Every structure is written in structure tokens, then in C-alpha cells.
Amino acid sequence: MIRKTRLFTPGPTPLLPAAQFAMAAADIHHRTAEFRALFLKVLAQLKIFVGTKNDVLLLSCSGTGAMEASVSNLTSPGDRVLVLTAGKFGERWVELAKAFNCQADVVKAPYGQTFDPGQVREALKPDARAVYMQATETSTAVRHDVESIAKLIQESNSGALLVVDGITGLGTTHFDVDGWGIDVLIGGSQKAVMIPPGLAYLSVSEKAWAAMESAKNPRYYFDLRKERKNAVKGESAYTPAVALVAGLGAALDYIAGQAGGDLGKGRIALVDNAQINAAATRAGLTALGFTLFAPAAPAAAATAVAVPEGIDSGVVVKALRNRFGLIVTNGQGEMQGKIFRVAHLGFFDCLDTIALLGAMEHIAKDTLGLPVTYGSAVAAAQKVFAEAASSS
Ligand SMILES: *Cc1c(COP(=O)(O)O)cnc(C)c1O
């Protein structure tokens, strides 16, 4: 039987065909009027996609490059920062803070959970330079409440900058960047915007620009002030990933096209799409007898699923790949073998989710030996889709 490869990983995610065509055709030199027009167009689109009046910069690097830039550009050695961590990506903020000699106060939540606001309030010191967090912690598929952390910072007397890794949050979560006061919000190309890895984008508030003037940590390739100056002219400081920029433009056109050409509305539709697919996946897998790893605060970017005691989640990952060509991902670090993760961000539709659940029915029965009634997972998901359709 034919097995189509179907990517269900939370980055890289499935590619949009229109973006692939745009990338294949993008043999443009980056110091030309043609590229400048493209770059300016994409930067303007990104502002709408992020939903902010702040500057949005585009960097040629994976998401971690923009995370590093938001430490190196905003802090000085010895600065106190607050890091909220509940997974592998939160731990990356801790490592970055250390790499740039910041003094990191750390609020930790167990894997699969989110933060206790009281603990965050207590840990936020008046001299904190910045608070670093994820919008969605992809390693555990947990959504953190950015709005309430933002409010808590506003109500404190700290004046700390709020820096949010929205790499899987953008396109799966609604943000009010300017209303809440998010100073830096970071996205990555291989997540909800349906193109390959290699670009990161970030919004930067006026408060963050001002903070950069006094920040003393070293930076060279990721000098945001230099990028801002160049971006005004439609350029980047160094050779950008030209083909990816063309692909990103096509992907943002597609997202706008889903809402009659209105990118702001298209972004909302993309978020709703991820949320509905995530809800349907949770309903389907729960109906099959699986336990969700993050039931209290599930992300729409991905769903983390626990496997029954005594079973290695790698067995599920392997069986889905070998039998159906369906690629999901194992847990990271200590979570390896305990969970598997299924993505919903970007170019997924309800029929993709039904395909996944159909495959999971076979895996649950034949690989894990669970009692399965065929159609039970699919039926639970169909109900979620039907409700979503009737309420929209
Ligand atoms: C994918 C991802 C990143 C970035 O990882 P890169 O490999 O550098 O692209 C950062 N944070 C989160 C939450 C992610 O999901």
C-alpha cells in the first residue's frame, strides 16, 4: 500500500506549496530594487501577522538566534533577569542568560504544567531588567498565560522588559502585543508560517529600543539596531536568506487569502484553525484511552500525549512512521520515551487530524493492544469539528 509521508512535528512543519514555488523562483540578488521591494513587503506583512505597531525585524537564523539577540541586545553583564521555565525551551532561556553573564532568578514549573502567578510575582525583583518566557512550551505542549504575566509586570514596580518566545505561539495563540505590553515577541519560519527553517522574526517595542542604548553585552551578527537601520531601506546588514524571504511573503499572502485578503483576519483564522485541530486531537486521543500530558493548560501548537505505563513512546513514534509514513515526535530530554507530540501549527486542516486519528486507532489496537472500537477517535474529533462549524 502507498504510504504518504505526513509531517506532524512541531517544527519543521508541512510546507505550503505556494511558498515552495516562490522559493524555487527566488534567484534575486539582495542588493537590488527587486529584493528591497520584497523585503519591505514582507516586513509590513509581518507587522500585521504579529499584530503590532512596533518594528518587526527579520533575521536569517533559526529561532534560537532571535532568542540570543534578545538577551545580548537588551542586557549587560551582571544584570538581574527573571526566567520562567517549564520545559526544554525555558531551559534555553536560562542557558542564554548565563552565557551573557546575567544573574537569572528562575521560576520553574514542572514539565506539563504552567506557572503559579503568585510565585512569579514574588520572584520579580524591582531591579529585574527583563522577564523571559515562552508563549507555548513546545517540549511539553503547554500554553503559558502571557497576558497575566504581562499584567503582573505592569502592576509591579520593576519596569522589566517582557520578552516572549512565541516561536510556536505565533499562529496558534491570540496576542495583543501592544495592549499587553510585550516588548519582544519572537517567531520562527519553520513553525506556523509554513516554510522551512532559517528565518526568525521579532517585534521590538520602543521601550526595548531605549534599553538597547544602555545594554553592554557584546553582539555583532545579531545587532538589532543595525538591522533596524537597514530594514528601513529594505535591506539587512548581511546576506539574508533570500529564498526564504520570498517563501515567507507567499505564505503570508496565503494566510491573508484565507480571509479574503485581510492578513489580520487571516491570522485570527489560522489561530482558530490550530485551536480547533488541537481540541479535536485531544478529544480523539482521549476517546482512545490516552492520557494528555498537559491537560490543564494545553497548547494549540501541539498536543503531548502520555503513553500507558511500561510502554516506550518511541514505539508509537516508530509504528506511525513505519506503518503510515506519519511523522510525530518523541519527548525531549527526560520526557523521551514517556510522551509523543503531534503538531497542529501552520498548514494542517481537519482532514489531516482525522487521518492522524485514524492511524492512531490502528496503532492503539495493534501496537499497544488497547481495546479499540474503530471510528471512536475519529467520531470524537468529528463532533468537535461539527461544533466549531456550527458556531462560526
Ligand atoms: C522551535 C522552537 C524554538 C527554536 O528552535 P530553533 O531550533 O532554533 O528554531 C524556540 N522555542 C520554541 C518554543 C520552539 O518551539
Side-chain angles (χ1 to χ4, degrees):
M1 273 207 276
I2 285 178
R3 288 177 312 152
K4 282 193 188 179
T5 300
R6 287 185 171 87
L7 201 55
F8 273 90
T9 50
T13 61
L15 300 178
L16 180 75
Q20 290 178 282
F21 296 134
M23 288 188 286
D27 60 341
I28 329 171
H29 191 274
H30 60 288
R31 306 291 181 208
T32 59
E34 191 185 2
F35 182 76
R36 285 183 204 107
L38 170 68
F39 201 61
L40 287 172
K41 174 205 137 163
V42 172
L43 289 176
Q45 285 179 309
L46 279 174
K47 271 175 90 128
I48 302 169
F49 184 71
V50 174
T52 181
K53 292 201 175 66
N54 292 335
D55 294 292
V56 177
L57 301 177
L58 188 53
L59 307 174
S60 292
C61 56
S62 81
T64 307
M67 291 172 73
E68 171 164 331
S70 55
V71 177
S72 63
N73 282 263
L74 294 173
T75 64
S76 303
D79 272 355
R80 181 193 279 270
V81 299
L82 176 61
V83 181
L84 313 185
T85 171
K88 292 287 144 196
F89 292 102
E91 289 158 22
R92 190 166 296 176
W93 278 134
V94 177
E95 289 166 8
L96 278 164
K98 282 196 185 132
F100 287 92
N101 293 310
C102 294
Q103 234 184 294
D105 297 321
V106 178
V107 170
K108 248 189 188 175
Y111 292 165
Q113 295 178 33
T114 190
F115 313 107
D116 167 28
Q119 240 179 322
V120 177
R121 193 173 294 116
E122 206 166 293
L124 180 60
K125 301 290 183 263
D127 60 339
R129 174 85 171 175
V131 176
Y132 292 94
M133 70 180 296
Q134 268 66 38
T136 50
E137 171 53 72
T138 317
S139 68
T140 60
V142 163
R143 188 174 93 85
H144 296 315
D145 188 349
V146 176
E147 184 178 10
S148 56
I149 301 296
K151 197 174 280 170
L152 192 151
I153 296 171
Q154 304 279 350
E155 287 165 2
S156 76
N157 53 358
S158 83
L161 298 159
L162 175 58
V163 180
V164 178
D165 164 1
I167 295 174
T168 54
L170 279 154
T172 66
T173 312
H174 297 294
F175 296 100
D176 181 355
V177 176
D178 303 344
W180 299 349
I182 302 174
D183 293 294
V184 175
L185 180 60
I186 303 167
S189 59
Q190 80 275 35
K191 310 281 174 140
V193 289
M194 314 174 189
I195 65 168
L199 290 178
Y201 54 98
L202 69 167
S203 68
V204 183
S205 72
E206 284 309 320
K207 184 176 159 192
W209 286 121
M212 272 181 235
E213 297 303 322
S214 63
K216 301 215 165 40
N217 257 318
R219 63 208 101 134
Y220 185 82
Y221 186 72
F222 295 123
D223 186 335
L224 297 182
R225 288 180 300 173
K226 203 159 52 185
E227 291 302 336
R228 183 193 209 189
K229 257 190 215 145
N230 280 283
V232 175
K233 301 176 287 178
E235 297 204 358
S236 60
Y238 310 105
T239 312
V242 172
L244 289 170
V245 177
L248 181 54
L252 293 168
D253 287 345
Y254 172 82
I255 294 167
Q258 297 300 299
D262 182 330
L263 182 53
K265 286 194 181 137
R267 174 195 72 219
I268 292 168
L270 183 69
V271 170
D272 291 344
N273 179 71
Q275 294 189 347
I276 291 163
N277 278 293
T281 303
R282 292 195 297 270
L285 292 176
T286 314
L288 270 184
F290 286 95
T291 307
L292 302 174
F293 185 62
T303 298
V305 188
V307 288
E309 270 298 312
I311 293 171
D312 187 320
S313 62
V315 169
V316 174
V317 175
K318 215 183 206 171
L320 281 169
R321 185 179 61 224
N322 291 345
R323 196 158 159 202
F324 298 104
L326 211 148
I327 317 294
V328 302
T329 188
N330 206 318
Q332 291 168 262
E334 301 91 298
M335 289 166 281
Q336 185 169 4
K338 302 201 171 80
I339 61 171
F340 65 94
R341 293 170 299 147
V342 182
H344 321 291
L345 74 170
F347 196 44
F348 289 102
D349 69 5
C350 62
L351 297 182
D352 292 323
T353 296
I354 284 173
L356 168 88
L357 293 171
M360 280 306 299
E361 291 179 359
H362 289 296
I363 301 299
K365 183 167 194 294
D366 302 340
T367 308
L368 302 181
L370 300 176
V372 169
T373 307
Y374 291 131
S376 58
V378 170
Q382 292 282 36
K383 246 190 229 162
V384 173
F385 290 129
E387 276 160 27
S390 70
S391 70
S392 71

